[in-house]
Amino acid sequence: MENDDDDTKEITQSQVENSVSMEKNCCNEDTFRLHMVTWNVATADPPDDISSLLHLNSPKTPDLYVIGLQEVYSAPHRFIIDMAVEDSWSNLFMSSLAPRGYLKVSSIRMQGLLLLFFSKLAHVPFIRDIQDTYSRTGIFGYWGNKGGVSIRLSFYGHMLCFLNCHLAAHMQNASQRVDEFEYILDTQTFDPKKTPQILDHKLVFWFGDLNFRIQDHGMHFLRNCITSHKFNLLWSKDQLTMMKKKEALLQEFDEGPLDFQPTYKFDRFSDCYDSSGKMRKPAWTDRILWRVKPKEPPPEEEKDEDRGSGLDEKNTKKKQQQEEEEEFPLKLKQDSYTSYMEYGVSDHKPVIGIFTLELRKMYETPLVRVCAEGEWSADFDAIVIYSPLQPFPSSDWDWIGLYKVGFRSVSDYITYTWVKDDEVSFNDELTQVYVSKDEIPVLGGECVLCYYCSTLQCIVGISSPFKVQESKVAVEEGLALENINGLEKATAS
């Protein structure tokens, strides 16, 4: 019996060791959930509720949201107002996501084209190299009603690019749409030498109102296929599917099956396709595609005559890229691809793509650790302590912002302090700065501190949430509630 017990212990120990080993292997690569939306909103005001569009009641919460809109209302007077303050669509998404712990990391707008990138707060210090740009293709390239806007960034060291497009309309312009896409890829460039163009990024999403139509089939056949949910009978005549067969560039992009009804063109506030005199044929105009960068081919064998010709440098770069691909892999899987019929403010229905992004992080430590020292209230100056955890391009223009928990964007700070103002260095690694009591919220609340690097133009460190206490002085002096609220607004501005 004793031997049996010993054997059992050995087996159990072996199972535990195997389990731990498997767990370590599983932890080598992290998975992230990405929720993407594309929607031509046809100059409409946003709906009251977008909970189902964003899956806000789902138990599976995304790590990242990427929202691409087309035809956001951009009449001159409205566009000027939107440039001064957030537009109504951005406000709606921010108001819906911020209370759930998402921050608007970046956005770009070119007239009616709008692209928004949100992240869970925990990932924000690991999102760097953020840049955005745009390309006009409408009316000989001078007008921004058509074209593309993009946001590129480094996510735990992996270079990602999101391109939201609105391409030429009408059935006969399939080739022009491909030309416009190629033009956008050629003209959009970024600063770092490593990824100067869109296709240099490890992962690219191409989405938007791409305007490809279903050709040849008559209206009666189209509607029968849609009503009977036999969408596969229409795929062969989808222009994007057809163009992919003859355009090598398009073949590099993947797309999930079109197992949802065409998203254009509907009568507003209904599920009925266009009943106007034009009777537009239904089409999958609204799409989400992606491209994982192909692996670099093996370096060419260098000959004697090639020495000094640049081939050696080229091969070294290829080798470095191959080593990075092997050490830090990235994989993408689409979990869902569908349209949402319930939204009727536009003549398009929104399309949602849910993805699982699997990658090995290139770094897991933020650039800066920042925390609130001691008790905080508006009764005395407060202390912030920060320390760099690794070298980064800091400058005198870096600042630390005080934010209420649930803040919407970097600009939503209550107050800030320059990292070089009134600092007292404990040693080379630990620094403290002060926040004036006059700048601290009188009513208190849950807050966080964020270190913003001006050179990198992003947040590189976030503190744990902490409690700012209600001002005892204000309470003892019997300030009326409305006066406290007025003071609160004054300090927030």
Side-chain angles (χ1 to χ4, degrees):
M1 289 294 292
E2 289 180 3
N3 290 338
D4 288 344
D5 288 341
D6 290 340
D7 290 344
T8 302
K9 286 179 183 177
E10 285 180 15
I11 292 170
T12 305
Q13 182 64 28
S14 176
Q15 287 175 337
V16 169
E17 287 174 356
N18 287 337
S19 175
V20 170
S21 176
M22 286 176 64
E23 195 171 317
K24 283 181 179 177
N25 289 335
C26 290
C27 292
N28 282 340
E29 293 178 16
D30 293 270
T31 57
F32 304 90
R33 192 171 176 84
L34 171 59
H35 187 113
M36 297 193 64
V37 177
T38 179
W39 192 4
N40 183 320
V41 298
T43 72
D45 288 328
D48 295 331
D49 183 42
I50 52 172
S51 295
S52 63
L53 185 71
L54 300 178
H55 293 187
L56 295 184
N57 299 318
S58 170
K60 294 182 178 179
T61 58
D63 295 277
L64 306 171
Y65 279 98
V66 180
I67 295 122
L69 305 181
Q70 306 85 40
E71 290 195 35
V72 175
Y73 186 55
S74 55
H77 67 284
R78 175 77 74 85
F79 191 69
I80 291 170
I81 294 171
D82 289 348
M83 289 297 100
V85 295
E86 295 285 357
D87 64 275
S88 58
W89 283 96
S90 294
N91 262 322
L92 176 62
F93 285 109
M94 292 165 73
S95 299
S96 301
L97 291 172
R100 290 170 167 81
Y102 294 92
L103 180 71
K104 189 195 80 174
V105 174
S106 184
S107 66
I108 179 172
R109 182 170 177 188
M110 181 185 74
Q111 283 185 223
L113 273 169
L114 175 64
L115 180 56
L116 303 163
F117 182 92
F118 292 86
S119 169
K120 275 185 176 177
L121 200 60
H123 303 309
V124 170
F126 306 98
I127 299 173
R128 303 167 192 168
D129 303 315
I130 305 165
Q131 292 183 46
D132 56 63
T133 189
Y134 62 89
S135 299
R136 297 186 179 98
T137 59
I139 310 180
F140 307 109
Y142 290 105
W143 191 243
N145 64 321
K146 295 287 194 296
V149 293
S150 64
I151 294 172
R152 59 72 59 88
L153 50 87
S154 164
F155 183 67
Y156 289 99
H158 296 262
M159 299 305 299
L160 316 181
C161 186
F162 302 88
L163 172 61
N164 172 28
C165 289
H166 191 186
L167 304 180
H170 307 306
M171 180 71 73
Q172 68 274 16
N173 289 328
S175 294
Q176 182 181 338
R177 289 187 267 279
V178 176
D179 290 342
E180 288 180 351
F181 176 51
E182 291 178 345
Y183 171 79
I184 291 167
L185 293 181
D186 288 341
T187 55
Q188 294 199 0
T189 57
F190 307 97
D191 287 342
K193 294 178 180 178
K194 188 177 179 182
T195 52
Q197 293 189 301
I198 289 174
L199 295 184
D200 295 319
H201 292 75
K202 190 174 282 190
L203 175 61
V204 176
F205 283 95
W206 172 40
F207 55 104
D209 180 359
L210 308 186
N211 251 322
F212 289 101
R213 309 304 171 97
I214 300 171
Q215 66 183 47
D216 298 336
H217 290 312
M219 184 69 81
H220 181 70
F221 180 77
L222 265 171
R223 297 209 171 194
N224 277 344
C225 290
I226 294 169
T227 304
S228 61
H229 284 228
K230 295 179 180 177
F231 306 126
N232 59 307
L233 298 180
L234 304 175
W235 293 347
S236 64
K237 296 300 180 181
D238 167 68
Q239 287 182 336
L240 181 51
T241 303
M242 295 169 72
M243 295 302 289
K244 283 187 78 170
K245 291 180 180 178
K246 58 181 182 180
E247 294 285 346
L249 173 63
L250 298 184
Q251 291 167 17
E252 295 181 18
F253 285 82
D254 293 311
E255 183 180 19
L258 298 167
D259 283 332
F260 53 90
Q261 68 185 85
T263 52
Y264 172 85
K265 176 180 172 109
F266 288 87
D267 293 338
R268 291 186 191 236
F269 300 103
S270 81
D271 289 343
C272 299
Y273 284 101
D274 187 14
S275 62
S276 71
K278 291 184 177 180
M279 292 287 285
R280 298 279 191 198
K281 286 170 67 175
W284 286 292
T285 56
D286 310 284
R287 312 286 277 268
I288 301 173
L289 297 92
W290 70 92
R291 173 188 183 268
V292 176
K293 188 178 179 184
K295 288 187 176 181
E296 284 289 332
E300 297 174 34
E301 195 171 322
E302 188 181 2
K303 301 174 185 177
D304 290 338
E305 59 267 25
D306 291 326
R307 294 188 186 279
S309 66
L311 183 60
D312 187 43
E313 184 180 342
K314 185 179 178 183
N315 286 344
T316 301
K317 186 178 178 182
K318 275 190 178 182
K319 189 176 180 182
Q320 290 172 344
Q321 289 176 336
Q322 281 182 327
E323 289 173 352
E324 183 182 296
E325 288 168 5
E326 291 171 5
E327 187 177 358
F328 301 103
L330 178 148
K331 299 174 186 174
L332 188 78
K333 179 172 71 75
Q334 187 171 57
D335 302 312
S336 174
Y337 189 34
T338 189
S339 59
Y340 275 60
M341 292 294 113
E342 66 188 85
Y343 293 97
V345 297
S346 168
D347 55 0
H348 290 249
K349 301 296 183 182
V351 170
I352 291 89
I354 309 294
F355 298 88
T356 296
L357 178 60
E358 186 177 308
L359 56 82
R360 188 171 299 159
K361 296 175 180 176
M362 294 188 188
Y363 41 76
E364 300 190 52
T365 306
L367 295 176
V368 175
R369 180 184 289 118
V370 58
C371 63
E373 175 72 5
E375 183 180 339
W376 278 55
S377 82
D379 296 335
F380 41 78
D381 293 345
I383 299 173
V384 178
I385 292 179
Y386 69 92
S387 58
L389 300 179
Q390 53 187 296
F392 72 100
S394 61
S395 76
D396 291 348
W397 296 104
D398 291 0
W399 50 272
I400 297 171
L402 175 67
Y403 296 84
K404 281 282 181 74
V405 167
F407 67 105
R408 308 188 328 163
S409 70
V410 174
S411 59
D412 279 351
Y413 52 81
I414 299 167
T415 186
Y416 66 90
T417 181
W418 298 105
V419 298
K420 295 295 182 182
D421 278 3
D422 301 319
E423 73 171 26
V424 178
S425 294
F426 295 125
N427 52 50
D428 290 340
E429 295 181 349
L430 205 60
T431 304
Q432 77 175 27
V433 291
Y434 294 101
V435 176
S436 168
K437 62 183 180 180
D438 298 331
E439 303 292 328
I440 297 172
V442 174
L443 292 180
E446 287 290 317
C447 293
V448 294
L449 295 165
C450 296
Y451 186 112
Y452 185 86
C453 175
S454 295
T455 304
L456 297 177
Q457 294 191 320
C458 61
I459 291 171
V460 294
I462 301 178
S463 75
S464 299
F466 62 95
K467 179 77 172 177
V468 174
Q469 303 298 326
E470 184 181 64
S471 169
K472 293 177 183 177
V473 173
V475 172
E476 288 171 0
E477 291 181 356
L479 282 177
L481 183 61
E482 59 268 21
N483 292 334
I484 293 178
N485 284 339
L487 182 56
E488 188 93 311
K489 289 176 183 175
T491 58
S493 61

